[in-house]
Amino acid sequence: MGPFVFEAPANRVVFAAGAVAQLADEVDRLGAKRALVLVTPGHEADGRRICDLLAARACGVVATARVHVPSEIAAGAIASARELRADCTIGYGGGSTIGLGKAIALELGVPQLAVPTTYSGSEMTAVWGTTANGVKRTGRDPRVLPRTVIYDPQLTLGLPARVTGASGLNALAHAAEALYAPNASPITTLLGEEAIRALAAALPRAVRDGGHLAARTDALYGAYLAGYVLGTTAMGLHHQVCHALGGAFDLPHAELHALALPHVLRFNASAAPDALAQIARALGAADAPAHLRALIAELGLPVSLAELGVPHAGLAAVAAYVARQPYPNPRPIDEASVLRMFESMFTGELPERTT
Ligand code: NAD
């Protein structure tokens, strides 16, 4: 084992079935008196239920959260938080809602108490992002890390099967990339392997039977650990190609992350044999990329860029873009090798293992 640096996220985590009942106590613990509840459109009833739990501590509901935090949505929510004199936000939902709470925290310094209901892991990171004119701006700031996170698996029982599978594999992808990150440590490796093990075992059960509380509990535990390592390591080629392809073709975030994972792992295998062996061990598989490719199909998720409607003719320009600004990655990349990987992602056919 070599020397390492590890910076743990400084927040409080409460994990239990039914833990949302402790919400008011957790707000009191933060010393807050006026909590603004954030949800996505269509989840206003959830917002009202959260206000009931908060009683006099609730100051309003903003139900405008949208994927990738459009800047006008962020501006509206910041204005509401100011007007209502909110001294904390409750981000109740997935990465979109928690992202909106982060935008408020960044601008006003108002802390967020996150109640995640998907597996995005955003609640464990200090990374924020907003989108204007199709361009996503991201940054890292300790103020946006939610101060308290309440994980209540009961709240995920109604998560649709497709979101369950895609969001869960998105989380698994974060854990996998953490294992070969340049700033990986024995701590992130332990947590990353455990995240992969928990997610891979739980997701098929949670997708088959959304009401399976034990499967939901294990999946949410895996998502917590995956978010933890996402927040403490630098992501590589997988994160980069998903960012580039998603931005170029406006693709569904979690589905894209899921289908790209086996291909990126196959690409990186020769340069990161230890990480690939750790992933295989966590999956209980001989060949991690092939196992994940099969898992994605088993979960009923798209396996090819063609299925997502990506035009084949557009791939070369994205490969060139990716090659121009590489992220830290175990295997050096160039335009031709990225394009070859895109070709296999396009058809969904995973190349054979070479070692
Ligand atoms: P999401 O938050 O957009 O949620 C997907 C859909 O599921 C929404 O319509 C939402 O209303 C619905 N939903 C959420 N929970 C539900 C539940 N329990 N039951 C029924 N429906 C439910 O999607 P996501 O995958 O959670 O998050 C994606 C976003 O998060 C992206 O913008 C991504 O960039 C961001 N993200 C950020 C970080 C970070 O560290 N900053 C990390 C991961 C993801």
Side-chain angles (χ1 to χ4, degrees):
M1 188 188 77
F4 64 89
V5 172
F6 174 66
E7 211 176 309
N11 61 5
R12 171 178 164 88
V13 169
V14 179
F15 192 114
V20 74
Q22 298 170 40
L23 184 62
D25 289 345
E26 290 299 327
V27 169
D28 290 345
R29 210 167 188 282
L30 284 178
K33 307 236 175 303
R34 297 180 62 79
L36 179 63
V37 179
L38 312 174
V39 291
T40 44
H43 288 264
E44 291 84 353
D46 288 333
R48 281 193 297 277
R49 208 161 44 81
I50 293 295
C51 286
D52 290 345
L53 287 173
L54 291 167
R57 301 165 192 82
C59 73
V61 178
V62 167
T64 56
R66 281 239 323 267
V67 70
H68 303 318
V69 194
S71 57
E72 66 281 6
I73 301 276
I78 289 164
S80 300
R82 236 193 219 115
E83 203 174 298
L84 294 165
R85 292 179 289 110
D87 59 5
C88 92
T89 60
I90 311 288
Y92 181 91
S96 301
T97 310
I98 293 162
L100 186 59
K102 288 179 171 184
I104 296 172
L106 187 67
E107 182 75 18
L108 303 179
V110 170
Q112 174 168 205
L113 190 161
V115 187
T117 62
T118 72
Y119 307 130
S120 83
S122 176
E123 67 282 356
M124 288 306 296
T125 85
V127 176
W128 56 267
T130 55
T131 311
N133 306 318
V135 179
K136 188 162 181 179
R137 241 171 23 100
T138 61
R140 188 179 277 272
D141 192 308
R143 282 178 307 168
V144 310
L145 176 73
R147 288 265 289 280
T148 305
V149 182
I150 295 182
Y151 287 106
D152 182 345
Q154 276 177 355
L155 304 176
T156 63
L157 296 180
L159 194 63
R162 176 142 172 158
V163 187
T164 299
S167 178
L169 269 157
N170 182 17
L172 196 151
H174 296 146
E177 283 233 296
L179 295 177
Y180 54 60
N183 56 349
S185 70
I187 319 300
T188 52
T189 298
L190 269 175
L191 297 173
E193 256 195 76
E194 174 73 349
I196 294 170
R197 190 200 56 72
L199 285 162
L203 289 176
R205 285 181 296 154
V207 165
R208 264 197 314 273
D209 174 7
H212 195 305
L213 185 60
R216 290 295 194 182
T217 303
D218 289 354
L220 195 60
Y221 165 64
Y224 158 41
L225 299 182
Y228 196 111
V229 294
L230 169 69
T232 48
T233 54
M235 295 287 107
L237 181 63
H238 177 266
H239 218 64
Q240 186 190 16
V241 298
C242 292
H243 191 75
L245 288 166
F249 306 116
D250 192 22
L251 303 176
H253 178 86
E255 280 89 343
L256 172 63
H257 278 67
L259 84 80
L261 180 62
H263 297 272
V264 175
L265 292 182
R266 181 67 92 222
F267 181 94
N268 278 336
S270 59
D274 291 351
L276 266 287
Q278 285 154 357
I279 298 166
R281 188 166 60 208
L283 293 169
D287 179 2
H291 186 90
L292 288 167
R293 170 66 178 71
L295 178 62
I296 291 162
E298 182 190 344
L299 297 180
L301 298 171
V303 296
S304 69
L305 291 177
E307 272 173 86
L308 292 186
V310 170
H312 185 265
L315 293 176
V318 183
Y321 172 79
V322 167
R324 275 200 301 276
Q325 34 203 314
Y327 282 28
N329 192 58
R331 178 175 155 190
I333 63 165
D334 57 55
E335 194 176 325
S337 60
V338 173
L339 186 55
R340 270 199 303 281
M341 184 180 69
F342 281 178
E343 293 288 353
S344 56
M345 283 168 62
F346 185 80
T347 60
E349 257 177 61
L350 187 69
E352 290 296 316
R353 183 152 65 157
T354 52
T355 49

